[in-house]
Amino acid sequence: MSNVPTIQLPNCVVGSRKIRYIYLVNSTSFALNECPQKDAVTPLYLGADLFSNTKIRTENHPRYHARFAKKGLATRLHFSSEFRFHGLKVSPCSNALWFYSIEGLFRVAFEIYNKQEQLSVLENLQDVWKSKINESPLKSNYTLRMLVHTALNSTANSSIDSVSPQDSLRGQEAATSSDTARGPADHNYCNFVPPCLQTVRHQLQSLDEKISCKTEILTQKQLETVSLLMEQVDLYIFGTLEEKNVTETVMNLLNTKDWSLTFASPLLNSVARWLGCQFHLANCSISQKVEEFKLQHIERISELPPAEELTTELFPEAMRTLLLHWMGLSEESSVEKRHSEYPILLLILEFANHSLITGVAHVLYSTLICK
């Protein structure tokens, strides 16, 4: 470990803050010193410095990072393990840090900072913001290696020569350490890695090995499904998973193969239990809607709309969809067929939700109760 070089990030002074940053050269590389072609690189600012000394508690920082990352204003940078960061305790297993674009920095400032701090950001960084205003949003993750270079005597020539990593790192650290002002507070990213996280990592490594060994026997459908699952895992980790993503994944899994017979299917049993619980939670809101409907139609209760209109107005779409397909109906079914079956569907929904509307439901229910 002693032979691993330590780098110290450059920083800019913004009011009472010192914000460390790097330059994103491309999707796989970063640099510590600015390139001659300023438009070709993107400054990224350390998320920990943006949120230090704010009202946001440290344990809540990841949630904020994920929210800004969803908007393309922040990204999680994964670095090579060939160096360490001075003043930043980063877990060697992940070696990743959150960084923000200049637009992300401004968004954080105007959402969290006080007015004086906001003014300092404007005065010190508005030129950077103007120069990068048309840049594309950041990706959620980058895996980067460091480009090591230093500008030679600019009066003699403007070329960039490569130097050894150790020389460049020592020069960078010496230049930054010479600043007599105290740098930003250290941030501890080296948290305890829980066993469950270690298990996930081992499983992913094992999956990588299996795919590498068995690529030739995997079908296109299997590879597409695995890819879809990995995308959802990524979204779930960073808190950006949405219902439409879950829907696509679940339907893809359900359609990958023929599962067990209906009478002995643990999958169907589990889905049915979950669906039943969700429908049960909707009872109160359905009952309220039914009562409001009755009050509106109290004078003409014998002239209710057709069964199809009633079910559409009063019951959740998912309930109707389940029963319709269960009964062999669909949107493509004939009008006559739907008209003949919808009264039965309405009656089932009335009984299942304990919300009686039609005269038939009241008569049948009272008869059943008496028995």
Side-chain angles (χ1 to χ4, degrees), residues 5 26 32 38 42 45 82 97 108 117 130 161 188 213 219 222 249 270 273 287 302 319 321 327 363:
N26 52 49
L32 299 180
K38 293 184 179 181
T42 301
Y45 302 88
E82 299 172 356
L97 294 171
V108 170
E117 289 178 311
K130 290 177 182 177
D161 283 3
N188 186 0
C213 297
T219 66
Q222 286 177 305
T249 305
S270 297
R273 183 186 300 111
S287 296
S302 60
M319 289 184 180
T321 301
M327 297 166 66
V363 171

Side-chain angles (χ1 to χ4, degrees), residues 32-49:
L32 299 180
N33 48 340
E34 194 171 46
C35 300
Q37 300 83 13
K38 293 184 179 181
D39 293 339
V41 297
T42 301
L44 297 179
Y45 302 88
L46 184 64
D49 289 348

Side-chain angles (χ1 to χ4, degrees), residues 15 20 22 29 83 131 137 144 148 163 181 192-193 237 262 278 314-315 328 331 364 366:
R20 285 169 279 192
I22 64 171
S29 306
F83 55 81
S131 67
L144 305 178
V148 183
V163 297
F192 169 71
V193 181
I237 289 174
T262 303
Q278 298 302 308
L314 298 175
F315 298 101
E331 289 75 10
L364 287 178
S366 59

Side-chain angles (χ1 to χ4, degrees), residues 59-96:
E59 57 268 27
N60 292 328
H61 288 184
R63 182 164 57 85
Y64 276 81
H65 294 327
R67 178 160 64 84
F68 282 104
K70 187 176 181 180
K71 301 175 181 178
L73 303 174
T75 182
R76 198 163 187 249
L77 302 185
H78 301 264
F79 300 96
S80 71
S81 57
E82 299 172 356
F83 55 81
R84 291 179 296 172
F85 292 100
H86 177 76
L88 290 170
K89 299 176 182 177
V90 186
S91 170
C93 347
S94 62
N95 209 26

Side-chain angles (χ1 to χ4, degrees), residues 125-151:
L125 296 173
Q126 60 177 310
D127 289 340
V128 181
W129 177 65
K130 290 177 182 177
S131 67
K132 302 298 176 183
I133 195 169
N134 293 320
E135 286 200 337
S136 302
L138 295 172
K139 296 193 298 183
S140 59
N141 288 273
Y142 293 87
T143 300
L144 305 178
R145 61 185 178 88
M146 185 172 64
L147 291 183
V148 183
H149 52 71
T150 182

Side-chain angles (χ1 to χ4, degrees), residues 247-347:
T247 302
E248 182 182 0
T249 305
V250 171
M251 291 309 300
N252 190 285
L253 282 174
L254 291 177
N255 292 324
T256 52
K257 57 175 292 187
D258 293 328
W259 300 95
S260 307
L261 294 175
T262 303
F263 285 96
S265 172
L267 176 61
L268 279 177
N269 189 42
S270 297
V271 171
R273 183 186 300 111
W274 177 84
L275 192 60
C277 290
Q278 298 302 308
F279 286 171
H280 180 71
L281 292 175
N283 269 352
C284 291
S285 59
I286 292 174
S287 296
Q288 182 179 351
K289 184 174 289 190
V290 168
E291 291 305 315
E292 291 172 355
F293 175 84
K294 286 181 177 179
L295 288 175
Q296 293 172 1
H297 294 77
I298 191 67
E299 299 297 333
R300 44 194 177 91
I301 201 69
S302 60
E303 301 175 2
L304 294 177
E308 187 166 356
E309 292 183 24
L310 279 176
T311 56
T312 302
E313 181 177 351
L314 298 175
F315 298 101
E317 181 183 6
M319 289 184 180
R320 305 195 308 270
T321 301
L322 173 65
L323 289 175
L324 280 172
H325 286 80
W326 190 346
M327 297 166 66
L329 296 173
S330 67
E331 289 75 10
E332 290 75 32
S333 301
S334 66
V335 176
E336 294 77 10
K337 181 69 173 174
R338 293 170 68 92
H339 281 330
S340 65
E341 298 289 346
Y342 251 95
I344 300 175
L345 183 145
L346 175 59
L347 190 60

Side-chain angles (χ1 to χ4, degrees), residues 157-296:
N157 59 70
S158 60
S159 64
I160 299 293
D161 283 3
S162 295
V163 297
S164 69
Q166 288 78 8
D167 289 343
S168 175
L169 294 171
R170 282 196 292 268
Q172 181 69 42
E173 186 169 350
T176 311
S177 299
S178 62
D179 189 350
T180 55
R182 184 178 179 183
D186 288 355
H187 300 277
N188 186 0
Y189 287 85
C190 191
N191 298 321
F192 169 71
V193 181
C196 56
L197 180 55
Q198 293 284 26
T199 301
V200 171
R201 285 174 177 156
H202 291 322
Q203 289 173 333
L204 290 175
Q205 290 170 357
S206 174
L207 181 61
D208 180 46
E209 294 171 359
K210 291 176 181 177
I211 291 178
S212 300
C213 297
K214 299 183 178 181
T215 303
E216 67 282 356
I217 64 173
L218 291 173
T219 66
Q220 183 64 28
K221 182 65 176 178
Q222 286 177 305
L223 291 173
E224 289 175 357
T225 302
V226 171
S227 176
L228 180 62
L229 288 171
M230 291 298 99
E231 289 176 10
Q232 307 319 311
V233 168
D234 183 54
L235 292 173
Y236 178 73
I237 289 174
F238 292 102
T240 56
L241 187 63
E242 297 179 354
E243 187 174 3
K244 61 180 181 180
N245 303 123
V246 177
T247 302
E248 182 182 0
T249 305
V250 171
M251 291 309 300
N252 190 285
L253 282 174
L254 291 177
N255 292 324
T256 52
K257 57 175 292 187
D258 293 328
W259 300 95
S260 307
L261 294 175
T262 303
F263 285 96
S265 172
L267 176 61
L268 279 177
N269 189 42
S270 297
V271 171
R273 183 186 300 111
W274 177 84
L275 192 60
C277 290
Q278 298 302 308
F279 286 171
H280 180 71
L281 292 175
N283 269 352
C284 291
S285 59
I286 292 174
S287 296
Q288 182 179 351
K289 184 174 289 190
V290 168
E291 291 305 315
E292 291 172 355
F293 175 84
K294 286 181 177 179
L295 288 175
Q296 293 172 1

